[in-house]
Amino acid sequence: MLHFEQAGNGIALFEADSFSISQILECGQCFRFEKTEKGYKIIAMGRVLYIEETESKIMFYPCSVAEFEDIWINYFDLDTNYTIIKEVLASNDPVMRDAVEYGSGIRLLNQDKWECLISFIISQNNNIPRIKKIINLISQTYGTEISEGCYDFPTANELISADIASLMACNTGFRAKYIMDAVEKVTTGQVDINELSLLETAVLKESLMSIKGIGNKVSDCILLFSFGRRDIFPVDVWVKRVMSHFYFKGEDVSIPEIHKKAEKLFGEYGGYAQQYLFYYARQFYFK
DNA sequence: CTCCAGGGATCAG
DNA sequence: CTGATCCATGGA
């Protein structure tokens, strides 16, 4: 059971299982956040939220009990027991045991589907600091101002007013035409994001991939991070690197081969495994 | 200068 | 089916 209560203008969460806000945000699944003096500030679900950790509790503010229950419990996946998931993954696999220990405070978010879709179109052949800048520029240009200087990510309808040139001005580069295709297919209902959440993963994936600029990897990220398909194992350059190193003796292995191996090793927990591995892999190159 | 980034579209074989 | 090339852009 979750233990939280109103404290001042925010919510205090006690005895949280597997919750490190820095790991949750810095593990590459989301992009609209920044460090503050005491913690992090995120823009998500049409709100600005500050998060600070102490030894005894985690503070979320500004936030009411109703808001916490309606929005943030689901967003931060707080109803999922990560202790069990980590135990399953760590048993019988020494690599995952280390990866899970290193990122023991990671949680997979349940993000907004539209924002996630566009964000991962932007992510292709790009790096994380630059992805964050581009998404912030798009939000400032087309999004609604939530509070002083903080802009929500624009809806598909808000992006109808965009064109290739203005998106290029947000440094989207060759991805501008992909964003426009996504706006068109979603606003006309050719790709119905809400209806898709009811569909079987394979059908859902096929529909997402009808949008130009959404291929195998980008659709996998959208499925995992905003449609809750936690068995999906996205393979980017980092995951490819770490999988090759630990499970293929460093050989240059194909992405389908990596998917086969991940399915065999991690099964229904593939999405969680992938996130621990991504965070684990990058520490060898940074910090 | 070149190489790389949470890749995909396109074309060659 | 698999593999090579191009795509915008900024940081290393």
Side-chain angles (χ1 to χ4, degrees):
Chain A
M1 273 299 289
L2 285 176
H3 179 196
F4 62 91
E5 64 187 27
Q6 191 80 40
N9 71 332
I11 293 293
L13 174 66
F14 302 96
E15 299 155 19
D17 159 56
S18 308
F19 193 107
S20 162
I21 191 61
S22 65
Q23 291 183 6
I24 289 169
L25 298 176
E26 308 277 7
C27 74
Q29 59 181 324
C30 64
F31 304 104
R32 300 212 68 197
F33 65 89
E34 56 186 69
K35 272 187 176 174
T36 63
E37 289 177 21
K38 295 180 177 179
Y40 282 90
K41 166 191 174 184
I42 71 172
I43 302 176
M45 313 305 286
R47 291 145 206 276
V48 179
L49 186 72
Y50 294 85
I51 301 124
E52 294 172 12
E53 293 172 317
T54 67
E55 309 86 55
S56 59
K57 64 187 177 189
I58 301 157
M59 287 296 305
F60 302 78
Y61 65 90
C63 186
S64 66
V65 168
E67 212 175 324
F68 194 70
E69 290 175 336
D70 292 344
I71 297 172
W72 301 116
I73 287 180
N74 177 61
Y75 182 80
F76 287 106
D77 206 27
L78 288 171
D79 283 330
T80 300
N81 186 331
Y82 279 72
T83 300
I84 293 175
I85 293 167
K86 287 186 285 188
E87 280 174 10
V88 171
L89 286 174
S91 64
N92 283 334
D93 190 312
V95 176
M96 278 307 301
R97 194 191 59 211
D98 291 343
V100 159
E101 185 181 351
Y102 181 72
S104 65
I106 289 175
R107 285 177 164 270
L108 291 184
L109 300 173
N110 293 300
Q111 301 183 54
D112 176 77
K113 297 175 177 66
W114 169 249
E115 178 175 342
C116 188
L117 188 155
I118 298 298
S119 295
F120 278 92
I121 286 177
I122 294 166
S123 79
Q124 74 169 60
N125 197 234
N126 213 338
N127 57 64
I128 292 177
R130 197 160 173 274
I131 296 164
K132 292 175 68 172
K133 285 182 189 172
I134 293 169
I135 295 173
N136 275 332
L137 268 174
I138 289 177
S139 299
Q140 285 170 31
T141 307
Y142 305 102
T144 303
E145 190 170 25
I146 304 168
S147 62
E148 198 67 36
C150 298
Y151 294 83
D152 198 10
F153 187 81
T155 63
N157 280 320
E158 285 175 323
L159 277 173
I160 290 179
S161 63
D163 54 30
I164 300 286
S166 60
L167 283 170
M168 293 280 281
C170 297
N171 294 325
T172 53
F174 64 88
R175 309 163 193 85
K177 53 185 177 295
Y178 301 153
I179 296 171
M180 289 309 294
D181 191 55
V183 169
E184 186 183 338
K185 288 203 166 76
V186 169
T187 54
T188 59
Q190 288 177 258
V191 175
D192 186 330
I193 290 185
N194 292 320
E195 188 183 336
L196 286 179
S197 60
L198 304 173
L199 300 179
E200 174 193 344
T201 298
V203 183
L204 164 50
K205 184 180 173 84
E206 191 178 356
S207 179
L208 290 174
M209 287 178 64
S210 72
I211 293 171
K212 294 212 183 299
I214 299 185
N216 189 46
K217 189 270 174 181
V218 167
S219 61
D220 278 354
C221 286
I222 300 167
L223 290 170
L224 177 60
F225 299 137
S226 70
F227 283 89
R229 308 299 163 104
R230 305 301 205 210
D231 56 325
I232 297 297
F233 189 90
V235 179
D236 76 319
V237 291
W238 297 99
V239 174
K240 184 173 179 180
R241 239 169 238 159
V242 70
M243 288 293 286
S244 167
H245 180 265
F246 285 116
Y247 299 107
F248 296 92
K249 303 170 186 173
E251 297 168 35
D252 188 10
V253 56
S254 74
I255 289 176
E257 283 299 317
I258 292 178
H259 275 118
K260 278 187 206 170
K261 176 68 81 177
E263 165 64 27
K264 192 173 178 182
L265 289 170
F266 314 127
E268 62 175 325
Y269 292 138
Y272 303 101
Q274 179 275 159
Q275 208 57 34
Y276 292 119
L277 287 171
F278 180 85
Y279 188 66
Y280 187 52
R282 285 163 58 87
Q283 70 156 319
F284 298 125
Y285 297 86
F286 304 116
K287 303 184 178 165

